[in-house]
Every structure is written in structure tokens, then in C-alpha cells.
Amino acid sequence: MITPWDVSDNVDYKKTMENFGIKPIKDLLKDIENPHYLMRRGIIFGHRDFERIIKSMKENKKFTVLSGMMPSGKMHFGHKMIVDQLLYYQNYNTEIYIPIADLEAYWARGMDFETTKKLAVEEYITNYIALGLNPNKINVYLQSKNEIVKDLAMKLSKRVNFSEMRAIYGFSGETNMGHMLAPIVQVADILHPQLKEKTPVVVPVGIDQDPHLRLTRDIANRAKEFKFIPPSSTYHRFMTGLLGGKMSSSKPETAIFLSDKPSKSLRKKVMSCKTGGRETLEEQKKLGGIPEECVVYELYVYHLIDDDKELKEIYDKCKSGELTCGQCKKSCYEKITAFLNDLSEKRACAKEIAEEIIK
């Protein structure tokens, strides 16, 4: 079972797609005029009903993008993938909603509302804007303060029972009632923009969030009085942590944070990354590396290299043994340093805007 609060380090994406009816997005790439680079590179790998969004994109018709956050720690490169997708969608005829899941954080993680809001402002929304998200194109709100969402959640809660919630999320008799209500609030987050205007909605998520999408689509079909359009969704792969496994805010040694400063400790992190290199330099030159197993190469694919040709050159040089891990790590650190220095300059101004957005 994969849930938003419990997911394995080694997700079998193919099996998960087969089990839950997620379709491969590669089959749609030919229909997208300018596919996101994460789609081209197979990082965004699956979808539900994304054809509906492609149609809106082609016809310049309005659609909604919704991407929630539960800020439980500092924002790292793994979180940046969502922002990169929002930056792509903001170039279309879209409204972007960003709910801050402070109710879920309170019920499921025991976090107080003040801490959640502080993290949302200082880490997430500040970085979202610094990375290029247009503050005039986003609707940011705290779940606990949005009366429309809470009211809709109450109305929709009658459309699902405990047996179904237990089957989807693994809830037990020990689960607190607030935690059980959190997914219903998420459903209301996703559907409430349609109370204003019936436009298609897409939710870009990691595979761990798919239970929310399945529940939302089921409830949207059941609540016929609202005439909701069931949400579309896309699914991206998790980013590998620097030492393998998942990148996690709670394990600083696994992550590069967007608020990090270039330093000896950051350089040490990068130089200690898990790679696909051989045990000796001689073997590396003879057999070549394995970029598919390399965290440094993954950083290039996900974040640090825009040009597909440049990426292919690095891949080929690694496979041939021409490029050593030491050279590659040094280049990676230089790219990270340039990125963080640029982002740091933009964060100060972005923080002021973030504080205005969330009052």
C-alpha cells in the first residue's frame, strides 16, 4: 500500500501503474506542442485524463492547476520539481491554486498552525516566487482559513464511508478522526475551484499522492449535484537522496536545500554523493560508469542541465569511461553553487511578497 504518509524508498512504478490504472504519459507526447522537459526525460511518467488538459492547452481554453503542500521541513531539490511544473503551466491560460495543508499537518503530523504557516511563508512560497512563479497568477491559502473549502469538505464527507477510507489509506481504529478527515479536505481543495467556474483541473503529484486523486475522482462522480469534472493528474518519480533512498527534509545528509549556501559542508555533500562509478579508476576507464544509478547524473537530469544534447554528451562520456566521477562531481558542485547564489539573491524580495500573500 502506498499512502501520502508512508511510501517505500524503492517504488515499483510499473507495478503501481498497472495496479491503479495510471497510463504512461509517453504515449501523449506527440500530441503536446511543447512537452515539459520532465515529460521528455521520463521523470513525469504517468497520468490520468491528461488528454483533457492537452485539449485546453491547444485551444487556449482555461484550465486550473492545483498543487498543495504540507510544509513539514525545509524545501529541497526534490520539492523543486513541483515548482518547475507550475512554471510550465503558468505560460498557459491557467489559474494556479496552492493550498497549504496546515489542517493535515496538525492532524497527521502533530504540527502547530504557527509553525506550518512560518515554514510555508519562509521556505515554500518564498522559494516558489524566487524560482519564477508569478505571484499574480497564484491563489495561495491556508486550509484552516478557507471557509469555502471546509464547508465543501463537510458536504462531500457523506459521499464516502470508513470501509472505503480504510481500504485506500490503511486507517485503523487507532487513527485519529482528524487524520481521517484530512483526505476529505484534500478532495475539497481539488474540487472547490469548480464552484466558481467549471474548468478542467490538473494536479501534478508524486505517486504517493495518488490515493487522494482516486478518492477525489470517485467523489466527484458521486456528488452529481455539483456537476464536477473529475480531476486530471500527472505523476513524477521521486528524487533519489544524495546517499541513495529518498531525499528527505528530516535527513539533511540526503538533501540539498534551496536555502543552502555554497560551503565546505555542501561541497562535501556533493563529493560524497552515491554514483554509478566503478570501484577503481582503471575499471571506470575500461568498463565505463552507470549513469542510471548515479545521483549526480540525476541532479543534472532533474534540475541542473536544460540542454538535452549536453545531457546526452555527459551520459555518453560516463558510459564510455571518458568522464570520471571526481570530474563530474566537481562540475555538479559548480552548477549547484551558481544556482543557489542566483536563487539567494531573489529570495529576499520574494519573501516580502510571500508574507503579503499569506496573512
Side-chain angles (χ1 to χ4, degrees):
M1 178 177 288
I2 294 176
T3 77
W5 313 283
D6 184 22
V7 61
S8 167
D9 282 357
N10 299 303
V11 177
D12 188 330
Y13 291 102
K14 183 179 179 181
K15 185 176 180 181
T16 302
M17 290 173 72
E18 292 171 351
N19 287 347
F20 297 109
I22 296 170
K23 297 178 182 177
I25 205 161
K26 65 181 180 182
D27 296 343
L28 301 181
L29 293 187
K30 64 183 184 301
D31 300 321
I32 305 172
E33 185 177 344
N34 179 32
H36 194 286
Y37 77 92
L38 292 174
M39 295 177 183
R40 295 198 314 269
R41 296 177 182 181
I43 308 306
I44 298 174
F45 64 90
H47 77 99
R48 293 185 193 275
D49 282 350
F50 194 65
E51 297 93 341
R52 188 181 292 135
I53 303 303
I54 294 174
K55 186 173 187 295
S56 295
M57 292 162 71
K58 281 183 174 179
E59 298 174 0
N60 195 31
K61 290 184 177 177
K62 190 174 182 180
F63 63 97
T64 299
V65 184
L66 187 135
S67 175
M69 68 169 82
M70 185 174 65
S72 56
K74 293 200 298 181
M75 189 173 173
H76 56 61
F77 268 46
H79 298 127
K80 178 179 169 287
M81 275 189 292
I82 285 290
V83 187
D84 291 334
Q85 293 174 69
L86 296 182
L87 292 174
Y88 171 77
Y89 288 122
Q90 78 174 1
N91 294 317
Y92 292 91
N93 185 9
T94 57
E95 270 198 279
I96 298 174
Y97 285 79
I98 305 176
I100 299 164
D102 59 342
L103 288 175
E104 181 183 0
Y106 178 74
W107 288 326
R109 298 281 176 87
M111 296 179 65
D112 63 80
F113 293 104
E114 292 77 15
T115 299
T116 304
K117 181 178 177 180
K118 188 172 187 293
L119 278 170
V121 172
E122 296 181 1
E123 278 291 325
Y124 288 76
I125 301 303
T126 292
N127 280 313
Y128 278 30
I129 295 170
L131 287 165
L133 201 59
N134 185 344
N136 297 318
K137 290 205 71 170
I138 58 178
N139 300 281
V140 186
Y141 64 88
L142 295 156
Q143 285 179 333
S144 62
K145 302 296 184 183
N146 193 314
E147 298 302 322
I148 294 173
V149 167
K150 289 190 289 185
D151 182 62
L152 182 60
M154 293 303 101
K155 291 175 180 176
L156 296 178
S157 63
K158 67 182 290 186
R159 301 293 178 178
V160 63
N161 59 41
F162 175 69
S163 295
E164 187 175 3
M165 296 294 281
R166 180 173 56 192
I168 295 172
Y169 296 102
F171 291 151
S172 69
E174 303 303 312
T175 308
N176 74 70
M177 295 304 293
H179 194 166
M180 293 183 197
L181 184 57
I184 309 299
V185 178
Q186 297 261 9
V187 170
D189 281 327
I190 295 169
L191 295 178
H192 89 278
Q194 293 188 51
L195 297 177
K196 183 176 72 171
E197 186 177 2
K198 287 290 185 294
T199 58
V201 58
V202 61
V203 188
V205 291
I207 198 68
D208 59 325
Q209 300 297 310
D210 186 52
H212 290 325
L213 271 301
R214 299 199 306 271
L215 178 64
T216 303
R217 288 168 62 86
D218 286 344
I219 290 178
N221 286 320
R222 293 169 194 166
K224 298 189 182 301
E225 69 273 24
F226 291 102
K227 299 181 181 177
F228 288 130
I229 303 168
S232 303
S233 50
T234 61
Y235 300 90
H236 56 257
R237 298 177 184 275
F238 295 119
M239 192 166 183
T240 308
L242 300 182
L243 304 177
K246 287 188 298 183
M247 189 171 285
S248 172
S249 297
S250 62
K251 298 177 181 177
E253 68 278 7
T254 71
I256 296 172
F257 297 101
L258 298 188
S259 55
D260 277 348
K261 305 290 184 186
S263 62
K264 287 183 179 179
S265 61
L266 179 60
R267 190 177 192 281
K268 184 178 178 181
K269 268 190 188 182
V270 176
M271 298 305 288
S272 301
C273 274
K274 176 182 176 292
T275 71
R278 305 294 178 174
E279 289 188 9
T280 66
L281 183 59
E282 183 182 357
E283 285 185 354
Q284 178 83 2
K285 290 183 176 180
K286 180 181 178 181
L287 303 173
I290 311 171
E292 295 87 352
E293 297 179 5
C294 179
V295 173
V296 174
Y297 182 71
E298 190 171 303
L299 283 164
Y300 291 153
V301 173
Y302 281 65
H303 299 292
L304 298 176
I305 294 181
D306 295 329
D307 190 317
D308 288 349
K309 288 183 180 178
E310 182 183 353
L311 192 65
K312 180 69 164 53
E313 286 178 9
I314 292 171
Y315 180 90
D316 291 342
K317 286 181 178 179
C318 175
K319 292 289 281 188
S320 70
E322 180 182 347
L323 182 63
T324 66
C325 292
Q327 293 171 323
C328 201
K329 286 177 178 180
K330 184 175 181 291
S331 176
C332 182
Y333 177 69
E334 289 170 355
K335 290 180 184 296
I336 289 170
T337 296
F339 172 83
L340 291 175
N341 281 335
D342 179 64
L343 186 65
S344 179
E345 290 180 9
K346 297 173 180 175
R347 277 168 52 88
C349 179
K351 185 180 177 183
E352 292 182 14
I353 299 171
E355 288 172 344
E356 287 296 315
I357 290 174
I358 312 172
K359 295 183 178 178

